[in-house]
mmCIF file of all heavy atoms in Angstrom:
data_model
loop_
_atom_site.group_PDB
_atom_site.id
_atom_site.type_symbol
_atom_site.label_atom_id
_atom_site.label_comp_id
_atom_site.label_asym_id
_atom_site.label_seq_id
_atom_site.Cartn_x
_atom_site.Cartn_y
_atom_site.Cartn_z
ATOM 1 N N THR A 760 4.804 -209.815 203.342
ATOM 2 C CA THR A 760 5.142 -208.399 203.434
ATOM 3 C C THR A 760 6.219 -208.235 204.499
ATOM 4 O O THR A 760 6.002 -208.597 205.662
ATOM 5 C CB THR A 760 3.906 -207.571 203.815
ATOM 6 O OG1 THR A 760 2.936 -207.681 202.777
ATOM 7 C CG2 THR A 760 4.267 -206.114 204.033
ATOM 8 N N LEU A 761 7.380 -207.720 204.108
ATOM 9 C CA LEU A 761 8.473 -207.506 205.050
ATOM 10 C C LEU A 761 8.503 -206.042 205.467
ATOM 11 O O LEU A 761 8.618 -205.141 204.611
ATOM 12 C CB LEU A 761 9.821 -207.876 204.426
ATOM 13 C CG LEU A 761 10.333 -209.300 204.679
ATOM 14 C CD1 LEU A 761 9.379 -210.317 204.067
ATOM 15 C CD2 LEU A 761 11.736 -209.476 204.105
ATOM 16 N N ARG A 762 8.377 -205.791 206.741
ATOM 17 C CA ARG A 762 8.542 -204.448 207.294
ATOM 18 C C ARG A 762 9.818 -204.484 208.132
ATOM 19 O O ARG A 762 9.858 -205.116 209.198
ATOM 20 C CB ARG A 762 7.341 -204.066 208.151
ATOM 21 C CG ARG A 762 7.488 -202.733 208.868
ATOM 22 C CD ARG A 762 7.455 -201.552 207.918
ATOM 23 N NE ARG A 762 7.494 -200.290 208.646
ATOM 24 C CZ ARG A 762 7.409 -199.101 208.072
ATOM 25 N NH1 ARG A 762 7.282 -199.018 206.758
ATOM 26 N NH2 ARG A 762 7.442 -198.003 208.789
ATOM 27 N N LEU A 763 10.881 -203.857 207.632
ATOM 28 C CA LEU A 763 12.192 -203.961 208.254
ATOM 29 C C LEU A 763 12.584 -202.655 208.938
ATOM 30 O O LEU A 763 11.996 -201.602 208.692
ATOM 31 C CB LEU A 763 13.237 -204.334 207.194
ATOM 32 C CG LEU A 763 12.936 -205.612 206.392
ATOM 33 C CD1 LEU A 763 13.964 -205.815 205.290
ATOM 34 C CD2 LEU A 763 12.875 -206.820 207.306
ATOM 35 N N ASP A 764 13.569 -202.757 209.818
ATOM 36 C CA ASP A 764 14.114 -201.597 210.523
ATOM 37 C C ASP A 764 13.027 -200.835 211.275
ATOM 38 O O ASP A 764 13.029 -199.608 211.337
ATOM 39 C CB ASP A 764 14.824 -200.674 209.523
ATOM 40 C CG ASP A 764 15.809 -199.717 210.196
ATOM 41 O OD1 ASP A 764 16.217 -200.001 211.339
ATOM 42 O OD2 ASP A 764 16.159 -198.704 209.570
ATOM 43 N N ASP A 765 12.092 -201.579 211.844
ATOM 44 C CA ASP A 765 10.974 -200.961 212.559
ATOM 45 C C ASP A 765 10.471 -201.938 213.611
ATOM 46 O O ASP A 765 9.536 -202.707 213.379
ATOM 47 C CB ASP A 765 9.856 -200.592 211.584
ATOM 48 C CG ASP A 765 8.806 -199.678 212.211
ATOM 49 O OD1 ASP A 765 9.074 -199.121 213.295
ATOM 50 O OD2 ASP A 765 7.724 -199.523 211.611
ATOM 51 N N ALA A 766 11.092 -201.910 214.776
ATOM 52 C CA ALA A 766 10.802 -202.889 215.815
ATOM 53 C C ALA A 766 9.375 -202.757 216.337
ATOM 54 O O ALA A 766 8.831 -201.655 216.465
ATOM 55 C CB ALA A 766 11.779 -202.714 216.973
ATOM 56 N N VAL A 767 8.768 -203.899 216.651
ATOM 57 C CA VAL A 767 7.479 -203.902 217.337
ATOM 58 C C VAL A 767 7.716 -203.507 218.788
ATOM 59 O O VAL A 767 8.603 -204.028 219.457
ATOM 60 C CB VAL A 767 6.816 -205.289 217.248
ATOM 61 C CG1 VAL A 767 5.559 -205.346 218.108
ATOM 62 C CG2 VAL A 767 6.486 -205.621 215.797
ATOM 63 N N VAL A 768 6.909 -202.563 219.291
ATOM 64 C CA VAL A 768 7.112 -202.047 220.645
ATOM 65 C C VAL A 768 5.937 -202.336 221.559
ATOM 66 O O VAL A 768 6.052 -202.146 222.780
ATOM 67 C CB VAL A 768 7.394 -200.537 220.619
ATOM 68 C CG1 VAL A 768 8.717 -200.254 219.893
ATOM 69 C CG2 VAL A 768 6.247 -199.755 219.977
ATOM 70 N N ALA A 769 4.803 -202.797 221.016
ATOM 71 C CA ALA A 769 3.652 -203.067 221.885
ATOM 72 C C ALA A 769 2.755 -204.110 221.229
ATOM 73 O O ALA A 769 2.604 -204.157 220.009
ATOM 74 C CB ALA A 769 2.861 -201.795 222.153
ATOM 75 N N LEU A 770 2.160 -204.945 222.082
ATOM 76 C CA LEU A 770 1.180 -205.945 221.671
ATOM 77 C C LEU A 770 -0.081 -205.759 222.494
ATOM 78 O O LEU A 770 -0.022 -205.654 223.724
ATOM 79 C CB LEU A 770 1.742 -207.361 221.883
ATOM 80 C CG LEU A 770 0.723 -208.514 221.901
ATOM 81 C CD1 LEU A 770 0.057 -208.670 220.540
ATOM 82 C CD2 LEU A 770 1.401 -209.828 222.324
ATOM 83 N N ASP A 771 -1.216 -205.710 221.815
ATOM 84 C CA ASP A 771 -2.522 -205.650 222.469
ATOM 85 C C ASP A 771 -3.277 -206.926 222.100
ATOM 86 O O ASP A 771 -3.891 -207.004 221.036
ATOM 87 C CB ASP A 771 -3.286 -204.413 222.004
ATOM 88 C CG ASP A 771 -4.627 -204.248 222.717
ATOM 89 O OD1 ASP A 771 -5.124 -205.232 223.303
ATOM 90 O OD2 ASP A 771 -5.193 -203.146 222.664
ATOM 91 N N PRO A 772 -3.239 -207.950 222.966
ATOM 92 C CA PRO A 772 -3.883 -209.221 222.616
ATOM 93 C C PRO A 772 -5.397 -209.110 222.459
ATOM 94 O O PRO A 772 -5.988 -209.847 221.657
ATOM 95 C CB PRO A 772 -3.517 -210.136 223.790
ATOM 96 C CG PRO A 772 -2.325 -209.508 224.429
ATOM 97 C CD PRO A 772 -2.521 -208.039 224.251
ATOM 98 N N GLU A 773 -6.042 -208.207 223.212
ATOM 99 C CA GLU A 773 -7.496 -208.081 223.103
ATOM 100 C C GLU A 773 -7.893 -207.495 221.748
ATOM 101 O O GLU A 773 -8.843 -207.961 221.109
ATOM 102 C CB GLU A 773 -8.037 -207.225 224.247
ATOM 103 C CG GLU A 773 -7.919 -207.892 225.603
ATOM 104 C CD GLU A 773 -8.641 -207.095 226.681
ATOM 105 O OE1 GLU A 773 -9.300 -206.087 226.345
ATOM 106 O OE2 GLU A 773 -8.539 -207.487 227.853
ATOM 107 N N ALA A 774 -7.153 -206.488 221.307
ATOM 108 C CA ALA A 774 -7.427 -205.896 220.001
ATOM 109 C C ALA A 774 -6.811 -206.701 218.868
ATOM 110 O O ALA A 774 -7.111 -206.445 217.698
ATOM 111 C CB ALA A 774 -6.899 -204.464 219.955
ATOM 112 N N ARG A 775 -5.940 -207.659 219.214
ATOM 113 C CA ARG A 775 -5.204 -208.467 218.242
ATOM 114 C C ARG A 775 -4.416 -207.565 217.294
ATOM 115 O O ARG A 775 -4.483 -207.673 216.069
ATOM 116 C CB ARG A 775 -6.155 -209.397 217.471
ATOM 117 C CG ARG A 775 -6.962 -210.306 218.370
ATOM 118 C CD ARG A 775 -7.993 -211.088 217.591
ATOM 119 N NE ARG A 775 -7.415 -212.250 216.939
ATOM 120 C CZ ARG A 775 -7.284 -213.451 217.490
ATOM 121 N NH1 ARG A 775 -7.680 -213.657 218.746
ATOM 122 N NH2 ARG A 775 -6.757 -214.452 216.814
ATOM 123 N N GLU A 776 -3.630 -206.685 217.923
ATOM 124 C CA GLU A 776 -2.835 -205.718 217.175
ATOM 125 C C GLU A 776 -1.446 -205.575 217.792
ATOM 126 O O GLU A 776 -1.267 -205.758 219.007
ATOM 127 C CB GLU A 776 -3.506 -204.335 217.176
ATOM 128 C CG GLU A 776 -4.800 -204.261 216.411
ATOM 129 C CD GLU A 776 -5.456 -202.895 216.504
ATOM 130 O OE1 GLU A 776 -5.007 -202.071 217.348
ATOM 131 O OE2 GLU A 776 -6.422 -202.651 215.758
ATOM 132 N N VAL A 777 -0.470 -205.233 216.944
ATOM 133 C CA VAL A 777 0.848 -204.830 217.404
ATOM 134 C C VAL A 777 1.149 -203.451 216.823
ATOM 135 O O VAL A 777 0.647 -203.078 215.759
ATOM 136 C CB VAL A 777 1.955 -205.826 216.991
ATOM 137 C CG1 VAL A 777 1.734 -207.180 217.637
ATOM 138 C CG2 VAL A 777 2.045 -205.963 215.473
ATOM 139 N N ARG A 778 1.994 -202.717 217.545
ATOM 140 C CA ARG A 778 2.397 -201.382 217.101
ATOM 141 C C ARG A 778 3.909 -201.330 217.014
ATOM 142 O O ARG A 778 4.615 -201.839 217.886
ATOM 143 C CB ARG A 778 1.877 -200.323 218.074
ATOM 144 C CG ARG A 778 2.307 -198.890 217.738
ATOM 145 C CD ARG A 778 1.569 -197.878 218.607
ATOM 146 N NE ARG A 778 1.637 -198.210 220.014
ATOM 147 C CZ ARG A 778 2.661 -197.880 220.813
ATOM 148 N NH1 ARG A 778 3.716 -197.238 220.330
ATOM 149 N NH2 ARG A 778 2.633 -198.198 222.092
ATOM 150 N N THR A 779 4.418 -200.699 215.961
ATOM 151 C CA THR A 779 5.865 -200.602 215.751
ATOM 152 C C THR A 779 6.400 -199.266 216.268
ATOM 153 O O THR A 779 5.633 -198.350 216.619
ATOM 154 C CB THR A 779 6.230 -200.750 214.273
ATOM 155 O OG1 THR A 779 5.803 -199.583 213.553
ATOM 156 C CG2 THR A 779 5.595 -201.991 213.670
ATOM 157 N N ARG A 780 7.699 -199.169 216.252
ATOM 158 C CA ARG A 780 8.384 -197.970 216.744
ATOM 159 C C ARG A 780 7.942 -196.717 215.994
ATOM 160 O O ARG A 780 7.861 -195.631 216.581
ATOM 161 C CB ARG A 780 9.894 -198.169 216.598
ATOM 162 C CG ARG A 780 10.746 -196.960 216.922
ATOM 163 C CD ARG A 780 12.234 -197.275 216.797
ATOM 164 N NE ARG A 780 12.533 -197.953 215.554
ATOM 165 C CZ ARG A 780 12.677 -197.335 214.371
ATOM 166 N NH1 ARG A 780 12.551 -196.022 214.298
ATOM 167 N NH2 ARG A 780 12.966 -198.017 213.278
ATOM 168 N N THR A 781 7.650 -196.859 214.704
ATOM 169 C CA THR A 781 7.257 -195.694 213.906
ATOM 170 C C THR A 781 5.760 -195.408 213.956
ATOM 171 O O THR A 781 5.274 -194.499 213.267
ATOM 172 C CB THR A 781 7.669 -195.896 212.431
ATOM 173 O OG1 THR A 781 7.013 -197.058 211.916
ATOM 174 C CG2 THR A 781 9.175 -196.056 212.316
ATOM 175 N N GLY A 782 5.019 -196.170 214.752
ATOM 176 C CA GLY A 782 3.590 -195.920 214.901
ATOM 177 C C GLY A 782 2.700 -196.729 213.993
ATOM 178 O O GLY A 782 1.461 -196.595 214.043
ATOM 179 N N GLU A 783 3.272 -197.596 213.160
ATOM 180 C CA GLU A 783 2.453 -198.463 212.309
ATOM 181 C C GLU A 783 1.740 -199.507 213.173
ATOM 182 O O GLU A 783 2.313 -200.029 214.137
ATOM 183 C CB GLU A 783 3.317 -199.158 211.267
ATOM 184 C CG GLU A 783 3.994 -198.226 210.282
ATOM 185 C CD GLU A 783 3.016 -197.594 209.316
ATOM 186 O OE1 GLU A 783 1.971 -198.227 209.040
ATOM 187 O OE2 GLU A 783 3.285 -196.472 208.833
ATOM 188 N N VAL A 784 0.500 -199.821 212.815
ATOM 189 C CA VAL A 784 -0.296 -200.797 213.560
ATOM 190 C C VAL A 784 -0.674 -201.942 212.613
ATOM 191 O O VAL A 784 -1.111 -201.706 211.480
ATOM 192 C CB VAL A 784 -1.567 -200.154 214.143
ATOM 193 C CG1 VAL A 784 -2.395 -201.201 214.893
ATOM 194 C CG2 VAL A 784 -1.199 -199.007 215.071
ATOM 195 N N TYR A 785 -0.490 -203.167 213.114
ATOM 196 C CA TYR A 785 -0.785 -204.359 212.331
ATOM 197 C C TYR A 785 -1.739 -205.240 213.114
ATOM 198 O O TYR A 785 -1.458 -205.625 214.253
ATOM 199 C CB TYR A 785 0.498 -205.144 212.026
ATOM 200 C CG TYR A 785 1.473 -204.401 211.143
ATOM 201 C CD1 TYR A 785 2.336 -203.454 211.679
ATOM 202 C CD2 TYR A 785 1.509 -204.636 209.776
ATOM 203 C CE1 TYR A 785 3.217 -202.746 210.870
ATOM 204 C CE2 TYR A 785 2.395 -203.942 208.955
ATOM 205 C CZ TYR A 785 3.244 -203.002 209.515
ATOM 206 O OH TYR A 785 4.113 -202.315 208.706
ATOM 207 N N GLY A 786 -2.875 -205.537 212.506
ATOM 208 C CA GLY A 786 -3.796 -206.493 213.092
ATOM 209 C C GLY A 786 -3.449 -207.900 212.636
ATOM 210 O O GLY A 786 -2.864 -208.100 211.569
ATOM 211 N N TYR A 787 -3.810 -208.883 213.454
ATOM 212 C CA TYR A 787 -3.450 -210.264 213.124
ATOM 213 C C TYR A 787 -4.583 -211.222 213.445
ATOM 214 O O TYR A 787 -5.404 -210.982 214.342
ATOM 215 C CB TYR A 787 -2.189 -210.684 213.883
ATOM 216 C CG TYR A 787 -2.339 -210.740 215.398
ATOM 217 C CD1 TYR A 787 -2.831 -211.879 216.039
ATOM 218 C CD2 TYR A 787 -1.990 -209.655 216.187
ATOM 219 C CE1 TYR A 787 -2.968 -211.935 217.418
ATOM 220 C CE2 TYR A 787 -2.122 -209.698 217.573
ATOM 221 C CZ TYR A 787 -2.615 -210.842 218.178
ATOM 222 O OH TYR A 787 -2.762 -210.889 219.550
ATOM 223 N N GLY A 788 -4.610 -212.321 212.682
ATOM 224 C CA GLY A 788 -5.430 -213.462 213.060
ATOM 225 C C GLY A 788 -4.669 -214.347 214.024
ATOM 226 O O GLY A 788 -5.184 -214.753 215.066
ATOM 227 N N LYS A 789 -3.393 -214.624 213.670
ATOM 228 C CA LYS A 789 -2.499 -215.358 214.557
ATOM 229 C C LYS A 789 -1.137 -214.671 214.541
ATOM 230 O O LYS A 789 -0.728 -214.108 213.520
ATOM 231 C CB LYS A 789 -2.379 -216.819 214.126
ATOM 232 C CG LYS A 789 -3.683 -217.595 214.274
ATOM 233 C CD LYS A 789 -3.525 -219.063 213.932
ATOM 234 C CE LYS A 789 -4.856 -219.799 214.107
ATOM 235 N NZ LYS A 789 -4.737 -221.238 213.752
ATOM 236 N N LEU A 790 -0.456 -214.757 215.674
ATOM 237 C CA LEU A 790 0.806 -214.041 215.872
ATOM 238 C C LEU A 790 1.889 -215.013 216.300
ATOM 239 O O LEU A 790 1.649 -215.913 217.114
ATOM 240 C CB LEU A 790 0.640 -212.967 216.944
ATOM 241 C CG LEU A 790 1.875 -212.117 217.273
ATOM 242 C CD1 LEU A 790 2.080 -211.062 216.208
ATOM 243 C CD2 LEU A 790 1.721 -211.449 218.640
#
């Protein structure tokens, strides 16, 4: 899945999530 033109602006290692400039949140197993 390609999410383009939307930079990641924050990483929460405890929650295993990243947040993009537009407010989208992505959880991960590995990053």
Side-chain angles (χ1 to χ4, degrees):
T760 296
L761 266 63
R762 175 69 176 184
L763 305 175
D764 200 20
D765 193 14
V767 173
V768 295
L770 163 65
D771 183 342
E773 292 188 5
R775 303 173 81 88
E776 293 177 349
V777 296
R778 177 171 50 84
T779 71
R780 174 178 48 81
T781 60
E783 297 290 332
V784 179
Y785 295 82
Y787 65 86
K789 294 184 180 179
L790 180 78

